[in-house]
Amino acid sequence: MTTIVMANQKGGVGKTTTAIALASALVNKGYRVLVIDSDPQGNLTAALGINPDTVPGLMDMLCDDAVISDVLIKTFAGDCVPCSILFADADRRLTQPYAFSLLDSKLEEVKEDYDFCLIDAPPSLGILSLNDFNAADYVIVPVNASAFSLQGLSSLFEIIEMVNSRGKHRIDILGILLTRFNPRTRLSQEVLETLDKIAASKGTSVFNTRIRQSVKVEVS
Ligand SMILES: Nc1ncnc2c1ncn2[C@@H]1O[C@H](COP(=O)(O)OP(=O)(O)OP(=O)(O)O)[C@@H](O)[C@H]1O
Ligand SMILES: [Mg+2]
């Protein structure tokens, strides 16, 4: 199983939209896909047609004895581990030693059952994101083409380096995904040029595929 996390602590950059689009594309290609909502906002869960407040999910897995098969729900974008707002206090609940590697341990049990695991990270760099990074092989960093989109990228890269420097686990930056791109605006072009430089300095690149600003997605 190859595990990829969509991460950027900046809100509204397209993490959840990317996770769902990628998961359903992989399912359509015939791959076995697991999707994990690690954001207590529960946007991924809700977008897959699940009411996050009525089902067990990530919190039961990380705080209690539940295993993945206890909480999985089948959806059009693969098998989903839901998350609800009840887990908004994850940073207070998960304080024991090795709390940062709970998700990684739980994923061990299903690594032969899926080809891909996609994780939708929350817009923060707390214990849930740390669990995501420690469970993932790769990170995709969605960045929207706006004036403030570059803020915070350096702390994101620092956390990834910290996870890598611990030695046990290696996570690679698969690439930066430019979202809400409008090739006709100067701003989008400028953001792209700056991102190209930042990506190169981190040994990665901006994906050639850019996600256009789309009215269809915005209103859904
Ligand atoms: N290409 C696009 N064009 C237009 N709107 C988009 C596009 N991609 C995402 N959006 C919209 O932007 C908003 C934020 O997207 P999304 O929820 O995927 O971001 P996020 O990074 O997961 O946000 P959060 O940090 O709150 O979890 C949503 O309303 C979504 O429908
Ligand atoms: Mg989201």
Side-chain angles (χ1 to χ4, degrees), residues 26-41:
L26 289 168
V27 165
N28 288 341
K29 281 186 175 284
Y31 291 108
R32 299 167 302 166
V33 178
L34 174 65
V35 276
I36 299 185
D37 191 351
S38 88
D39 181 0
Q41 292 182 102

Side-chain angles (χ1 to χ4, degrees), residues 56-122:
L58 189 69
M59 183 171 82
D60 305 82
M61 251 170 59
L62 302 192
C63 298
D64 291 323
D65 292 337
V67 292
I68 292 199
S69 53
D70 295 333
V71 303
L72 277 185
I73 298 181
K74 288 203 177 309
T75 78
F76 65 89
D79 292 353
C80 173
V81 173
C83 192
S84 87
I85 197 73
L86 292 176
F87 209 15
D89 61 349
D91 285 279
R92 188 183 59 79
R93 287 175 190 257
L94 302 175
T95 53
Q96 71 272 40
Y98 301 104
F100 57 84
S101 61
L102 292 167
L103 180 59
D104 190 38
S105 321
K106 295 279 175 168
L107 286 180
E108 277 292 309
E109 295 153 22
V110 292
K111 68 177 190 199
E112 303 300 328
D113 302 338
Y114 296 97
D115 302 302
F116 290 97
C117 169
L118 303 183
I119 308 176
D120 182 22

Side-chain angles (χ1 to χ4, degrees), residues 178-195:
L178 195 53
T179 64
R180 311 191 74 157
F181 185 68
N182 181 348
R184 287 187 298 274
T185 68
R186 210 187 143 110
L187 176 65
S188 276
Q189 290 297 347
E190 281 176 5
V191 169
L192 177 58
E193 278 165 29
T194 314
L195 273 180

Side-chain angles (χ1 to χ4, degrees), residues 190-215:
E190 281 176 5
V191 169
L192 177 58
E193 278 165 29
T194 314
L195 273 180
D196 267 333
K197 288 184 196 138
I198 295 176
S201 74
K202 296 292 166 194
T204 185
S205 56
V206 179
F207 287 108
N208 285 334
T209 302
R210 289 150 207 162
I211 310 301
R212 276 171 292 111
Q213 173 75 24
S214 150
V215 173

Side-chain angles (χ1 to χ4, degrees), residues 39-57:
D39 181 0
Q41 292 182 102
N43 292 345
L44 178 110
T45 305
L48 297 183
I50 304 161
N51 179 347
D53 301 332
T54 56
V55 289

